[in-house]
Amino acid sequence: MTAMTATVNAAGLRRDAAAERRFFLSLSLPSLAVVGIGAILPLFWILQQSLTTARGDFTVVNYTALLTNGLTWRSLLVTLELSGGTLVCCLLLGIPLAFLLASTSPRTASRLMVLVLLPLWTSILVRTYGWLVLLRRDGLINDLLVGSGLVSEPVPLVYNFTGTLIGMVHYMLPIFVLPTYAAMRDIDGNVIRAAASMGASLWHCFRTVILPLAFGGIVSGSVIVFVYTLGFFITPAILGGGRISPIAIRIDRTLSTLQDWGGAAALGILLLLIVAILGVTTLGATRLIRSKPGAD
Amino acid sequence: MASPRIALEKVRKVYGRHVALDDVSVDVRPGEFLTLLGPSGSGKTTLLMAIAGFVRPEAGLIRIGDADVTRLPVNKRDIGIVFQNYALFPHMSVLSNVEYPLLLRRLPRAEARERAQAALARTQLEGYDARDIAALSGGQRQRVALARAVVFEPRVLLMDEPLSALDKNLREQMQFEIRKLQQDLAITTVYVTHDQREALTMSDRIAVMNAGRIEQLDAPQPIYQCPTSRFVADFMGESNILPAAFLEPLGSALPLDGTLVIRAENLSLEREAADGDGVAITGRVTAHAFRGETWHLRLEVEGERQLLLSIPSGKSFDPADIQIGQQLTAYAAARHIHRLDGGPEP
């Protein structure tokens, strides 16, 4: 009796479930096609370019040339310095900003959010040239600094590392704040109130409750900032004034000046490898920290 | 150190045009379990949060013991709070949660651990130290929250509807456990709930709140039996509020005037001689329902008033005998008729 009732209409229901799965899979087909044709295939093409000579023979000469060239290492270092510097600035500026957004009323928060997101709605080229106007020798900031007597000589704020970093932080800050803010907003307000009722100061509560609970959002924000800035081109190209050459600029130069497709491709693969290594390391580290709940 | 009293004097809180607390004054006695009872929006939680320090009143004085804490920040008030949703730290183990206020007070680790474990034992949670909060049931979370709120021996304890998320059986069990813990610690406690039965079960005194004011403040029995206002009579379960004109006096020397309150369970369909003087009310049956421990009966009196009867299901009462539309007479003994003071006639 039970065996009979268990199989009533089972085949039909199974077919329905399978049809439903097929339908949802088919929805992802267009995006799979775009990623396949637009990202994965070109990647193989770049890999092939980096490993062949102009006549099409296999070679590793592009890589040996790259790794024995001091310029590569210098570019790599500048890239990491810029990405690391941007990340540190985003952490220092973004975490308090996200906390402020998360602790105000939803009304105020949405208004402040517009201000945070405003830079994202402006073209990066416009913003970067805007910084140029502000930061150059006779720019607004130096005018103020010299005019107020704080410094006697204009400070070199642009066409160098500082200027590039300022531009990059400005670009990345909203992108960092979004996931951090989302994580902080999701923290139950009563948990923070509970900590306060037990005698915790705001700082203590921030350290022991808010930061650990927002950890996931901060990590995603950090990964996005770091990985994104590894390939930054426009900002260092304009605000670096030719003195700052991270890998993206080196790739451009290798292509446009030297016409060296193999070398440029090898640089691209090198950048990809760095991202992959960083990604795996971060994932592993996050898992390790997550696996120890209550550690403070 | 004995738990101190909490004294509130003309505490006022306004949100825009809504008066959440309308000059509330109340004195919570040392070691007392006082419940703020009322519907949502009555101001009970606002009052609790003002005592805690999360709500800054527009005016008024809040004293704990002899100290004026009105302008003292939350983390200096030394208050244990149990929140409605427990508000446990989800990233810490059970033990870390309970140790938190102790380590905050720079107690040595070993002593903090010992005291936290003792508090967990008090709330029947021995052996749960290393558990994740996410792995606990609602009742267990409630117990952790309770242990955490009392472990640092706060001067007073505040609870904001701590049992509202639990199912009925567990809720009733926790009511007794919380009450026992409160009595063992002899800690002055202010408890917020909208559940009148919970308030009656647990409290030394109940403050029934409505529209930002305390309508009546008394021990559970007087609140239940002698409500002083229509609101309290209505809110404390099934009561009939009727003008005296609807009642037919039985016996002598029963002065009937004003507005009268008769609880649904004090009405019966048979007049018992032992009751002595009383009243009779006749009406037409409009509905009846079985509710487990009681039969529920609705009568329409003189075509306009609803009369509610709650008859114990153990009594000889057969609903098959009763038809909708049938005329019935309900009786109440004189001692069960309570006169409302003041208030307009309904």
Side-chain angles (χ1 to χ4, degrees):
Chain A
M1 186 67 203
T2 43
M4 247 186 82
T5 46
T7 54
V8 166
N9 210 14
L13 290 169
R14 236 188 341 263
R15 263 200 308 282
D16 286 356
E20 202 170 277
R21 265 198 304 277
R22 273 199 303 279
F23 172 69
F24 283 114
L25 274 179
S26 71
L27 286 180
S28 62
L29 274 181
S31 52
L32 279 180
V34 168
V35 171
I37 297 167
I40 312 260
L41 279 183
L43 208 59
F44 280 110
W45 183 77
I46 290 172
L47 189 65
Q48 188 219 336
Q49 284 280 316
S50 74
L51 288 169
T52 49
T53 62
R55 272 177 300 162
D57 306 323
F58 176 80
T59 176
V60 289
V61 72
N62 286 322
Y63 287 95
T64 49
L66 209 64
L67 297 176
T68 50
N69 187 347
L71 283 178
T72 310
W73 295 106
R74 216 182 299 159
S75 280
L76 207 58
L77 186 66
V78 166
T79 307
L80 292 177
E81 277 175 351
L82 278 174
S83 293
T86 309
L87 177 56
V88 169
C89 292
C90 279
L91 286 169
L92 290 178
L93 297 171
I95 291 177
L97 180 57
F99 182 54
L100 171 77
L101 285 169
S103 23
T104 55
S105 68
R107 241 174 98 97
T108 321
S110 64
R111 279 178 195 167
L112 289 175
M113 208 61 205
V114 171
L115 293 181
V116 172
L117 293 179
L118 212 55
L120 283 183
W121 301 338
T122 333
S123 149
I124 181 164
L125 214 56
V126 172
R127 274 191 284 157
T128 311
Y129 278 109
W131 276 114
L132 203 59
V133 173
L134 280 176
L135 296 173
R136 65 184 180 207
R137 267 186 80 81
D138 55 350
L140 191 65
I141 291 177
N142 266 320
D143 277 357
L144 283 174
L145 284 175
V146 177
S148 65
L150 276 171
V151 293
S152 51
E153 280 278 294
V155 185
L157 288 173
V158 78
Y159 301 132
N160 57 15
F161 187 85
T162 313
T164 312
L165 190 64
I166 291 174
M168 282 169 72
V169 169
H170 182 229
Y171 187 80
M172 293 312 297
L173 192 58
I175 296 167
F176 174 81
V177 164
L178 281 176
T180 308
Y181 164 63
M184 286 187 178
R185 195 195 42 199
D186 285 347
I187 299 175
D188 173 16
N190 276 346
V191 166
I192 296 164
R193 281 184 206 110
S197 76
M198 287 181 263
S201 62
L202 185 62
W203 169 241
H204 188 88
C205 175
F206 189 75
R207 229 163 28 83
T208 57
V209 178
I210 297 165
L211 272 188
L213 289 179
F215 184 73
I218 295 173
V219 169
S220 357
S222 303
V223 169
I224 295 171
V225 165
F226 201 87
V227 169
Y228 215 97
T229 49
L230 283 177
F232 249 45
F233 176 76
I234 295 176
T235 311
I238 297 170
L239 297 176
R243 272 174 241 170
I244 300 295
S245 15
I247 291 200
I249 289 190
R250 176 122 279 129
I251 291 175
D252 175 62
R253 236 174 255 160
T254 312
L255 269 181
S256 59
T257 328
L258 307 173
Q259 302 284 323
D260 178 6
W261 286 83
L267 269 168
I269 296 294
L270 187 68
L271 195 59
L272 193 70
L273 274 178
I274 296 172
V275 172
I277 291 167
L278 278 169
V280 171
T281 320
T282 321
L283 206 68
T286 320
R287 286 233 177 104
L288 202 70
I289 294 169
R290 281 277 162 80
S291 68
K292 287 190 281 180
D296 54 359
Chain B
M1 188 185 73
S3 192
R5 68 174 191 140
I6 305 169
L8 281 79
E9 193 184 327
K10 286 187 175 287
V11 175
R12 184 170 191 80
K13 179 69 194 175
V14 180
Y15 292 110
R17 287 165 65 192
H18 172 69
V19 181
L21 294 176
D22 192 358
D23 293 339
V24 174
S25 299
V26 61
D27 226 332
V28 190
R29 297 165 188 158
E32 181 179 40
F33 192 114
L34 181 99
T35 296
L36 304 175
L37 174 68
S40 57
S42 61
K44 56 189 194 303
T45 297
T46 309
L47 188 60
L48 192 82
M49 290 301 146
I51 301 172
F54 295 121
V55 163
R56 178 180 289 129
E58 259 79 48
L61 272 177
I62 300 166
R63 287 200 189 85
I64 297 176
D66 295 324
D68 177 3
V69 300
T70 319
R71 296 172 65 187
L72 207 62
V74 185
N75 57 346
K76 301 257 163 37
R77 289 196 186 190
D78 199 19
I79 288 175
I81 305 178
V82 178
F83 292 88
Q84 188 170 7
N85 58 357
Y86 319 133
L88 299 173
F89 302 131
H91 58 301
M92 297 182 192
S93 68
V94 167
L95 187 68
S96 302
N97 262 280
V98 183
E99 279 178 339
Y100 186 89
L102 301 174
L103 295 177
L104 195 67
R105 285 167 175 70
R106 309 204 175 283
L107 251 68
R109 276 211 169 258
E111 194 190 334
R113 170 168 300 244
E114 203 173 297
R115 278 180 58 180
Q117 280 169 338
L120 285 168
R122 253 186 194 286
T123 52
Q124 278 94 58
L125 276 177
E126 293 114 321
Y128 282 83
D129 291 8
R131 289 281 185 100
D132 258 354
I133 297 304
L136 299 182
S137 70
Q140 289 165 339
R141 285 178 205 205
Q142 183 53 64
R143 292 193 164 100
V144 178
L146 206 57
R148 190 180 65 172
V150 298
V151 70
F152 60 100
E153 294 173 3
R155 295 200 296 161
V156 297
L157 185 60
L158 308 180
M159 292 193 241
D160 182 17
E161 308 215 22
L163 304 179
S164 58
L166 304 180
D167 62 54
K168 191 167 173 287
N169 287 338
L170 189 56
R171 192 161 66 223
E172 283 168 4
Q173 183 192 339
M174 287 302 294
Q175 288 170 3
F176 287 101
E177 283 187 29
I178 291 178
R179 177 61 166 154
K180 182 168 186 316
L181 180 73
Q182 185 268 338
Q183 282 173 330
D184 288 350
L185 298 172
I187 186 168
T188 312
T189 300
V190 181
Y191 188 99
V192 162
T193 184
H194 62 266
D195 181 339
Q196 46 111 350
R197 193 181 289 273
E198 189 167 297
L200 293 170
T201 308
M202 300 177 80
S203 321
D204 289 316
R205 285 193 302 162
I206 299 171
V208 183
M209 290 194 70
N210 177 34
R213 282 176 297 111
I214 292 178
E215 289 266 339
Q216 189 173 355
L217 173 61
D218 216 327
Q221 248 184 310
I223 289 265
Y224 187 80
Q225 286 166 347
C226 311
T228 54
S229 70
R230 166 174 294 275
F231 177 83
V232 177
D234 254 344
F235 194 73
M236 294 308 294
E238 292 157 342
S239 281
N240 297 293
I241 304 167
L242 296 161
F246 284 85
L247 310 182
E248 178 197 330
L250 304 168
S252 56
L254 195 66
L256 286 179
D257 65 331
T259 305
L260 304 175
V261 182
I262 307 170
R263 299 201 61 87
E265 74 265 24
N266 291 331
L267 283 164
S268 73
L269 293 175
E270 292 144 23
R271 187 172 179 222
E272 279 156 39
D275 284 345
D277 289 354
V279 294
I281 313 159
T282 304
R284 215 166 43 77
V285 178
T286 57
H288 61 80
F290 180 59
R291 301 213 307 181
E293 70 269 34
T294 56
W295 280 100
H296 213 68
L297 205 60
R298 246 172 220 287
L299 303 185
E300 198 177 57
V301 184
E302 296 187 11
E304 46 172 325
R305 295 288 163 158
Q306 289 288 327
L307 192 71
L308 204 60
L309 277 80
S310 185
I311 298 158
S313 44
K315 279 203 178 168
S316 56
F317 173 74
D318 188 356
D321 296 344
I322 290 174
Q323 274 119 43
I324 304 286
Q326 181 186 345
Q327 287 277 335
L328 276 183
T329 303
Y331 302 94
R335 63 192 155 89
H336 288 140
I337 303 166
H338 174 71
R339 190 172 177 279
L340 270 191
D341 299 317
E345 288 254 320

